[in-house]
Amino acid sequence: MSRFKIENLGTPKVASPLQLSTVRGDNIFNFINDKDQLVYDLSLENYNQCIENNEPPACLEKAGPRQNIFFEPKNVTAAIVTCGGLCPGVNNVIRGVVMALHYFYGVKKILGVPYGYEGLNLEMGHGFMELTPDKVNDIHQFGGTILGSSRGGQSVVVMVNTLVENSIDMLFTIGGDGTLKGANAIGEEIQKRGLDISVIGIPKTIDNDIDIIDKSFGFETSFDIASPILRDAHNEASGAYNGISIVKLMGRDSGFIAASAALAMPVVNFVLVPEMHFNLYGENGFLENLKNRLDTKHHAVIVVAEGGGQHLFEKDEVRTDASGNVQHDDIGLFLKQKIGEYFKDVYPTTIKYIDPSYIIRSSAANSGDSVFCSGLAYMAVHGAMSGKTKFVVGRVNNKLVYLPIKAVTKKRKKIDLESEFWFAVLQSTGQPFLM
């Protein structure tokens, strides 16, 4: 089986209600065929290797509406669940899925699952929320999720029983790595029982750490909102002689928000991310580099991702949250303490610490993310209606495609410290390659 092959519930035999075209040149959008494939690795090296080995390149299935669909729309009951931490754009995706199901395909029964996977355990007593176009019409203007969310899993057997008992034909799961793994487990239980229920993933992680896909929704909004905060942090730092501002941004295992925010607002002098190992002390350590900065410019702005510098803590045991994510110690407060101790006997400094994480993640999506969210939602619905299952919709090489959930959950995406992206960050900040 191909690495990126998408599973189907069966042969699509129902004519799509969408009035689209099958010919080029008539100025009407064309149905997408499953044979419409996009090459994953676009490098010349991969191209030459495929020719040399006489093998086809790894390809991705293009997202979009199919001419024949699997489900009879008038009989469909769909459900939407949001899991994990908040992220800008969740309400946009909910709205997009509801609107596409209702107006594109004529689906009349759409259920919202309250408080994450807890809502699929009826013993929790949350019930369901009926979603209609009127109900979701304005929710894109607000952050958070109208369905509520939670961390942690529930019994896969119990959740599938709930889907069966409520005659749910498709489950749209909006969440990050843990949510998607849970969705895949639900899909496997469905497959084991021989049921015709589609499971769809729409990747949600503010940290942008889902593997393979270009970016996840909410990420652009996160560093957009962080940018003016960094500007204000710079104002605080430069307003005092030897002033230091420390801004902690989200990024448990990947530092994309911190790095991107620093590029978007180039007043940052140090970016510390989980991918880099740095020393506090020593001739080229962080604190000595910070002193050199203060000696010449008399102010500094430091941006640190929440998962940065965890190697500096002495830990007796690894703590995890309900989703199985490692709980990190507060690197922001740690740096403030260590910087204060270091400069105590050197010269006076003024240190300001700012943590806007929960303000950022609960904000409404910006215009760029709003457009992206709608596209993801629409393509997720098209894939679900055609009977595809255990897949996510994402952007790869700037094209929307379908990917098996297993393909994107094997590992977390991280910053490549030898990439042009990270080199741009170092050029912007002026910090050394290694500390």
Side-chain angles (χ1 to χ4, degrees):
M1 180 182 289
S2 169
R3 175 186 175 192
F4 297 124
K5 184 175 176 58
I6 304 298
E7 295 183 34
N8 292 273
L9 296 175
T11 304
K13 297 179 180 179
V14 179
S16 173
L18 303 182
Q19 300 298 308
L20 302 180
S21 177
T22 57
V23 295
R24 300 286 179 184
D26 60 0
N27 296 325
I28 299 174
F29 187 80
N30 291 320
F31 284 111
I32 304 298
N33 192 292
D34 282 355
K35 294 180 180 179
D36 290 333
Q37 303 277 308
L38 299 169
V39 176
Y40 170 54
D41 187 340
L42 302 179
S43 69
L44 179 61
E45 180 184 4
N46 179 66
Y47 173 77
N48 288 332
Q49 188 175 4
C50 289
I51 292 178
E52 184 180 328
N53 297 333
N54 193 28
E55 61 184 18
C59 290
L60 307 170
E61 193 172 302
K62 193 174 180 180
R66 270 48 178 177
Q67 188 171 9
N68 290 315
I69 58 178
F70 181 80
F71 293 101
E72 181 63 59
K74 64 182 180 182
N75 299 328
V76 165
T77 297
I80 306 171
V81 63
T82 59
C83 307
L86 297 182
C87 173
V90 178
N91 278 338
N92 300 64
V93 175
I94 294 171
R95 183 185 188 278
V97 170
V98 172
M99 294 302 192
L101 286 168
H102 183 91
Y103 288 113
F104 299 177
Y105 289 99
V107 174
K108 301 302 182 187
K109 190 170 184 181
I110 308 168
L111 303 176
V113 180
Y115 303 112
Y117 284 140
E118 279 188 13
L120 290 176
N121 181 352
L122 298 183
E123 290 186 1
M124 301 299 293
H126 296 317
F128 289 118
M129 178 189 300
E130 188 159 348
L131 299 176
T132 63
D134 287 343
K135 181 84 173 179
V136 303
N137 191 53
D138 299 320
I139 64 173
H140 60 289
Q141 301 180 47
F142 305 96
T145 164
I146 62 163
L147 298 178
S149 186
S150 68
R151 293 192 183 276
Q154 299 291 324
S155 164
V156 174
V157 171
V158 168
M159 290 192 288
V160 174
N161 287 345
T162 300
L163 297 179
V164 173
E165 290 166 11
N166 290 273
S167 301
I168 293 171
D169 301 292
M170 52 187 68
L171 175 67
F172 294 88
T173 62
I174 305 170
D177 184 74
T179 303
L180 296 177
K181 287 178 178 177
N184 198 68
I186 291 171
E188 290 182 348
E189 176 66 18
I190 288 169
Q191 189 176 43
K192 189 166 68 175
R193 299 191 195 185
L195 303 171
D196 288 337
I197 303 175
S198 175
V199 180
I200 309 96
I202 303 176
K204 171 208 68 71
T205 166
I206 200 171
D207 294 344
N208 196 37
D209 59 357
I210 297 291
D211 196 30
I212 300 177
I213 64 175
D214 295 346
K215 70 171 184 176
S216 48
F217 75 82
F219 169 64
E220 181 182 313
T221 302
S222 68
F223 68 82
D224 185 19
I225 294 175
S227 294
I229 295 172
L230 298 188
R231 178 199 62 208
D232 296 342
H234 173 259
N235 293 340
E236 281 287 349
S238 59
Y241 191 74
N242 292 331
I244 301 169
S245 286
I246 305 167
V247 181
K248 185 179 77 171
L249 297 176
M250 301 188 81
R252 183 186 292 112
D253 301 300
S254 305
F256 288 104
I257 295 178
S260 298
L263 284 174
M265 183 58 66
V267 297
V268 178
N269 309 113
F270 298 93
V271 177
L272 308 176
V273 295
E275 293 86 345
M276 65 183 288
H277 186 98
F278 64 93
N279 295 319
L280 278 181
Y281 306 101
E283 184 177 349
N284 194 41
F286 167 69
L287 292 172
E288 188 63 26
N289 277 287
L290 177 59
K291 181 178 181 299
N292 293 338
R293 165 72 192 182
L294 293 180
D295 287 345
T296 56
K297 298 296 184 179
H298 303 294
H299 69 274
V301 177
I302 303 159
V303 173
V304 59
E306 62 179 311
Q310 295 302 307
H311 60 282
L312 301 173
F313 293 93
E314 295 181 4
K315 301 183 181 183
D316 296 327
E317 60 181 18
V318 176
R319 305 186 308 277
T320 57
D321 62 19
S323 297
N325 299 307
V326 175
Q327 289 186 317
H328 292 318
D329 290 288
D330 195 322
I331 184 63
L333 292 175
F334 178 85
L335 286 177
K336 181 181 180 183
Q337 176 190 343
K338 294 300 180 183
I339 291 170
E341 292 173 355
Y342 180 82
F343 284 99
K344 182 179 180 181
D345 300 321
V346 180
Y347 45 65
T349 58
T350 300
I351 306 173
K352 299 293 173 60
Y353 174 55
I354 304 166
D355 180 1
S357 299
Y358 290 101
I359 294 173
I360 292 173
R361 78 173 199 168
S362 59
S363 298
N366 67 9
S367 298
D369 263 325
S370 293
V371 172
F372 187 37
C373 288
S374 293
L376 291 173
Y378 298 162
M379 295 306 179
V381 169
H382 293 316
M385 292 302 300
S386 65
K388 300 181 189 301
T389 189
K390 293 196 290 182
F391 74 93
V392 300
V393 59
R395 184 184 290 168
V396 179
N397 298 326
N398 210 32
K399 301 288 186 181
L400 287 173
V401 297
Y402 297 136
L403 293 155
I405 292 177
K406 279 189 174 181
V408 301
T409 55
K410 287 183 178 179
K411 62 178 182 177
R412 296 279 179 93
K413 183 170 69 174
K414 294 178 178 293
I415 294 175
D416 177 0
L417 298 183
E418 295 185 20
S419 65
E420 292 179 6
F421 173 68
W422 183 245
F423 182 45
V425 173
L426 298 184
Q427 290 178 102
S428 177
T429 61
Q431 72 187 65
F433 285 96
L434 301 171
M435 286 189 286

